Amino acid sequence: MSDKPESCSPPSNAEPAATRSTVPIWIFALTLVLIYLSAVYFDHHSGWFDPKVYSPYANAEELESYQPKSGAAAMLARGKQVYEQCCGRCHGTDGLGKPGQAPPLAGSEFVNAKGIQRLAHIPLTGVAGDIKVDGKDWNLSMAAMGAALSDSDLASVLTYIRSSWGNKAEAVTADDVAKVRAIVSKSPAAMSGDQLMKMPE
């Protein structure tokens, strides 16, 4: 046995060994905070997309409303647009009307009539006096809101209200409106409910 003390150091040719250690929890917390702040920044800056292209639209539905349409879809889209500009303030965008101001269009016998003569007279001449709508009495003074609209635009509005809010009536054409407008031109005064009910649908 040698009296020389053995070295405590590993042999010089020994391979290094990896050891495991716990990652500090603050690193995970910091990573999550950075991810959150990055998402907030990304969202507030439109995902770095050009705001001239993307910022005008709040959601996919709004963007869809601006897409080109044709046929019946185009007519309804135009009708909705004109309705909201000219009629929605009083009758409501939901067609339920406003108490003491304007009767509902949803479920209205004028809107759902088979013919459109009475319905078209209302925006072309206006209404003055008593009128019964959906079983309720109203006393109105409505201007001829549709008189300045083209036959095509008024037909689109009437088609829109006849197919919205549960209404299920046939579409109205520009020719239909032109025929009623010709009748109205001979007697353009605002009409009462009784006068409207005396004329054919």
Side-chain angles (χ1 to χ4, degrees), residues 76 79-80 83 87 105-107 111-112 119 155-169:
L76 287 175
K80 179 180 180 181
Y83 172 84
C87 318
L105 299 177
V111 174
N112 289 292
L119 177 63
S156 295
V157 172
L158 298 181
T159 296
Y160 171 70
I161 67 175
R162 280 164 67 87
S163 59
S164 301
W165 318 303
N167 297 329
K168 297 179 180 179

Side-chain angles (χ1 to χ4, degrees), residues 5 74 89 153 189:
R89 181 174 297 180
D153 277 353

Side-chain angles (χ1 to χ4, degrees), residues 19-28:
T19 59
R20 295 183 178 181
S21 61
T22 303
V23 177
I25 191 66
W26 67 266
I27 293 181
F28 287 106

